């Protein structure tokens, strides 16, 4: 077998998919060198998380022809990461994950540029996110997924027939793993269900009833949570429990053992104590590799059209035999996040301050400490202090004037909501309609001011 | 050096120190270190397997840089085995990594003594060597375990077995249930009787008054639930609510499902004791693994037939439920003891799988035909399965894979089609055809290995290796065929 020039190219294998016409392909597939070069030069992909999934994703994407990558991660490397986060070595412990991961991949894959961001995803402005072709999620929390989902959906615009405008769709590819299980999904806001449409797939964590902990413990976890949630406060009046404090953990463990002995319950170990108290999710290299690879492949297919795409949710379970399943979930037409936006009718006289107060009481929003953006302009920002000061004077102004006296427009608001006693950042898109302007009828709606 | 326990914390929570010790004793040999094999080993090295040996005679080409993270620009022209091995060693210094720069096929042919010695050493020690085949090809690929026998010591399904034996209690559980008075006047005791005991007792009562049978019709099921409701003495009795919710477990037929029974019947085929070395007619035998440290074989199926009285071995763990501490702890002990007793009888047993030659030469025809007409999967996965075998036959005939080189695509397409039709007819599926679309796609793939596909296949292969080595969790059966077009991959039992 003679070697042709194609054999000598680093894109030898990828070229077969990107340069040749195919039969089972996506819409808009235009095979050719230009496509390959565009993916390298112009497709900008953002990876969220540089952990178990993120490390794999950066490698997989870099070897799938993407040359412009950015990665956000707020964590530093820990020893317990090393069994799966293969871009990190023991001497990297303590360094920011995003920076080390980006550097390692760039060292090995020439031509790839990865820009690391050592920060929280909430620290970036909307504009930052609008810049990317595709956002890939390697996150481990529901709150972070929920937040970035709202960000991607905030770019979405609908035409007059309530169809999503294609150019405003910000695709997301989301992966998640736990032990031998995982999922990969594609979210095309306005087309496929968004994270919030199918939030029921992520049920809230079970908390043990306090009376069980106090009166009828049955499992080792009950004994541990008794020591952690009840006994600690009884003994250490006022001193908060710190899970990262070795002495605190040891104390909880000892108390849990005592309780377990008292009730004849087996299974309390120090490791389990850490697991229960810190809610540690078991994680292994292979599952992360599988899920990340599926996500990277879908990212390549979304960007190039070189094949059909996953529609729209893949689950993997390797605990008993091997099971993969594709489910086509459907959108929730009334979704607050990926729908056309929450409709709010306002008097033209309302001030920005009054409007912000209203968001707190609005039954669909319940949003406190809101910051408000209109078409990229910050009307009011709660933070950072500089911006707060700059925008404070707007609070007493009339919102209708601040929005350029348009009868209908879109506002983005970010603030805090609470769910299951936990507070988290939320971003919402609002369709604001001012009453009595330009033939807009004075409708009586639940969301009205 | 990191404390190993801390480094492996997140996986110790899954397979425990026993599983980890088994991994650390295992030695794994990789034949051909393309991206699929390299990725598989990466996941195993991170997890801390004892030792790895990489065997590959090829040199790193520029093209390899585009799909294998373990080689870089400085590797071009050097031994691929050496470069991959060096990178893997960097990942975990606790692993003994070595390489042999030689083509595995050549090694077997020209110096069998060397290779068979290596295998023999393993074979003498462990009485068995296991093979895993993993291969990626364009947007498809497969994983296949080839082993004679394997036993799962601890299968740890993460959901509790629906099988709490509520409608078929063994003597100890029955006696324990008999000791409980559901009509107790003590209201605290009444609301702290675990639902398992409530259901065992109620099912028994029902059976007594219904000639031994359990609720089966809709009316009977409703009546049974109403009986449970009637037992409640207060609204806040969570244990009775749990009992009503779990009452479907009483209605389930006793014993194993018809599906499992079918598998049981199908798995009696004799196995050639000399398991094959390679699957395929030469060509890319990318990523074959020989992990050692595996001996016994999965035996669930024979257990059911012989000892279990028609039930699968009991898992032994019970879900948390409303209960007094004492009753729960006792109940847990009873289930645990049963599981341990079941397990003792399991270990003696061996279950046999079809050998790869059998699958290769005489697949189970009705299964094959069923897959070929399966509408749920639009027969893509089985199509890929046939085509992966067809491209190997193609390569043997024409000295290259279809579409491997640019130009001559139309000719390759028609040749591949003829080859695939010939293969299908050799397998006994005369007249079956594959879609033009799929044949065209296969030629388009042209033996390429995409990194993302290789990482996926490698991920699955490594996970199966871990399950086999730790002897925990149930390994996959059959051949996993990856469908990278829409992810409707399939596990085929042929
Ligand atoms: Zn939605």
């Amino acid at each position: 077998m003679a070697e042709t020039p194609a054999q000598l190219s680093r894109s030898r294998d990828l070229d077969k998919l990107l340069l040749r016409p195919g039969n089972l392909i996506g819409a808009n597939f235009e095979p050719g060198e230009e496509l390959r070069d565009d993916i390298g030069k112009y497709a900008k992909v953002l990876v969220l998380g540089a952990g178990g999934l993120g490390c794999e994703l950066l490698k997989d994407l870099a070897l799938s022809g993407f040359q412009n990558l950015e990665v956000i991660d707020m964590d530093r490397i820990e020893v317990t990461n090393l069994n799966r986060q293969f871009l990190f070595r023991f001497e990297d412990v303590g360094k920011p994950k995003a920076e080390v991961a980006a550097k390692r991949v760039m060292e090995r894959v020439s031509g790839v540029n990865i820009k690391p961001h050592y920060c929280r995803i909430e620290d970036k402005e909307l504009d930052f996110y609008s810049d990317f072709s595709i956002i890939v999620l390697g996150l481990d929390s529901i709150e972070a997924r929920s937040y970035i989902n709202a960000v991607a959906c905030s770019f979405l615009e609908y035409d007059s027939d309530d169809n999503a405008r294609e150019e405003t769709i910000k695709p997301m590819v989301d992966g998640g793993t736990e032990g031998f299980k995982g999922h990969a999904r594609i979210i095309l806001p306005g087309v496929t269900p968004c994270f919030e449409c199918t939030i029921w797939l992520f049920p809230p964590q079970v908390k043990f009833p306090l009376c069980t902990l106090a009166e009828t413990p049955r499992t080792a976890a009950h004994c541990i949570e008794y020591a952690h949630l009840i006994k600690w406060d009884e003994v250490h009046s006022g001193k908060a429990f710190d899970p990262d404090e070795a002495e605190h953990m040891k104390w909880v463990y000892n108390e849990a053992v005592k309780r377990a002995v008292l009730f004849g319950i087996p299974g309390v170990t120090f490791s389990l104590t850490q697991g229960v108290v810190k809610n540690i999710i078991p994680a292994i290299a292979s599952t992360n590799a599988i899920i990340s690879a599926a996500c990277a492949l879908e990212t390549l297919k979304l960007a190039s059209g070189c094949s059909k795409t996953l529609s729209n949710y893949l689950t993997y379970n390797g605990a008993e035999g091997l099971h993969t399943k594709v489910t086509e979930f459907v959108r929730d037409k009334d979704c607050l996040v990926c729908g056309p936006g929450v409709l709010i009718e306002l008097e033209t006289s309302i001030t920005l301050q009054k409007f912000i107060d209203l968001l707190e009481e609005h039954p669909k929003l319940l949003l406190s400490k809101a910051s408000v953006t209109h078409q990229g302009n910050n009307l009011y920002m709660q933070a950072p202090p500089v911006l707060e000061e700059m925008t404070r004077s707007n609070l007493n102004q009339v919102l209708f004037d601040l929005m350029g006296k348009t009868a209908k427009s879109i506002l983005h608001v970010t603030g805090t909501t609470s769910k299951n006693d936990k507070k988290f950042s939320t971003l919402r898109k609002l369709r604001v309609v001012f009453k009595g302007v330009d033939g807009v009828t004075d409708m009586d709606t639940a969301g009205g001011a | 050096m990191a404390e190993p326990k801390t480094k492996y914390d997140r996986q110790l929570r899954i397979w425990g120190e026993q599983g980890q010790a088994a991994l650390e004793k295992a030695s794994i040999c990789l034949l051909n270190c393309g991206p699929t094999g390299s990725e598989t080993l990466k996941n195993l090295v991170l997890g801390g397997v004892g030792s790895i040996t990489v065997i590959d005679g090829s040199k790193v080409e520029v093209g390899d840089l585009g799909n294998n993270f373990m080689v870089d620009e400085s590797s071009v022209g050097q031994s691929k085995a050496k470069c991959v091995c060096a990178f893997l060693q960097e990942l975990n210094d606790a692993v003994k990594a070595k390489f042999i720069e030689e083509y595995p096929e050549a090694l077997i042919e020209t110096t069998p003594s060397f290779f068979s010695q290596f295998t023999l050493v393993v074979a003498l020690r462990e009485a068995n060597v296991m093979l895993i085949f993993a291969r990626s090809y364009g947007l498809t690929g497969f994983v296949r375990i080839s082993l004679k026998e394997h036993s799962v010591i601890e299968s740890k399904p993460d959901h509790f077995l629906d099988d709490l034996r509520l409608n078929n209690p063994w003597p100890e559980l029955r006696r324990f249930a008999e000791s409980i008075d559901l009509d107790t006047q003590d209201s605290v005791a009444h609301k702290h009787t675990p639902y398992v005991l409530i259901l065992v007792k109620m099912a028994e009562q029902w059976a007594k008054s219904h000639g031994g049978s359990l609720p089966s019709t809709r009316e009977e099921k409703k009546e049974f639930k109403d009986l449970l409701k009637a037992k409640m003495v207060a609204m806040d009795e969570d244990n009775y609510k749990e009992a009503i919710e779990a009452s479907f477990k009483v209605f389930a037929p006793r014993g194993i499902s018809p599906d499992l029974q079918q598998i049981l019947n199908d798995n009696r085929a004799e196995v050639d004791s000399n398991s094959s070395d390679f699957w395929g007619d030469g060509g890319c035998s990318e990523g074959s693994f020989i992990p050692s440290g595996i001996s016994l074989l999965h035996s669930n199926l024979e257990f059911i037939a012989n000892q279990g009285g028609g039930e699968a071995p009991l898992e032994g763990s019970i879900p948390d439920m409303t209960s007094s501490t004492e009753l729960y702890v006792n109940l847990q002990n009873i289930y645990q003891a049963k599981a341990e007793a079941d397990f003792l009888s399991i270990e003696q047993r061996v279950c046999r799988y079809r050998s790869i030659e059998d699958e290769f030469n005489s697949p189970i025809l009705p299964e094959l035909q069923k897959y070929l007409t399966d509408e749920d999967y639009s027969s893509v996965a089985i199509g890929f399965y046939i085509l992966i075998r067809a491209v190997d036959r193609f390569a043997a005939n024409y000295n290259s894979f279809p579409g491997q080189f640019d130009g001559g695509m139309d000719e390759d397409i028609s040749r591949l089609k003829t080859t695939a039709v010939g293969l299908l007819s050799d397998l006994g599926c005369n007249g079956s055809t594959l879609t033009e679309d799929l044949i065209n796609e296969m030629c388009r793939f042209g033996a390429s290995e995409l990194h993302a596909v290789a990482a996926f296949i490698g991920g699955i292969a490594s996970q199966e290796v871990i399950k086999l080595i730790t002897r925990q969790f149930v390994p996959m059966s059959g051949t996993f065929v990856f469908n990278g077009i829409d992810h409707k991959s399939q596990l085929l039992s042929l």
Side-chain angles (χ1 to χ4, degrees), chain B residues 350-397:
Chain B
V350 160
C351 176
R352 300 190 163 109
Y353 284 83
R354 273 174 74 80
S355 80
I356 222 153
E357 282 96 343
D358 284 352
E359 174 184 327
F360 195 64
N361 297 321
S362 51
I364 304 161
L365 206 53
E367 288 295 309
L368 184 58
Q369 270 154 350
K370 197 184 85 196
Y371 292 131
L372 282 164
T373 51
D374 189 335
E375 282 179 11
D376 275 359
Y377 289 88
S378 3
S379 65
V380 170
I382 184 72
F384 275 142
Y385 172 83
I386 299 290
L387 287 169
I388 291 174
R389 292 180 52 175
V391 296
D392 283 345
R393 198 180 267 201
F394 183 111
N397 288 338

Side-chain angles (χ1 to χ4, degrees), chain A residues 107-133:
Chain A
E107 274 167 12
R108 296 199 72 84
V109 186
S110 63
V112 171
N113 189 36
I114 305 176
K115 195 169 167 193
H117 303 272
Y118 171 50
C119 64
R120 289 154 33 97
I121 56 174
E122 293 91 342
D123 294 342
K124 295 285 176 191
E125 298 213 9
L126 281 182
D127 269 0
F128 170 83
Y129 291 106
S130 73
D131 215 21
F132 294 95
S133 331

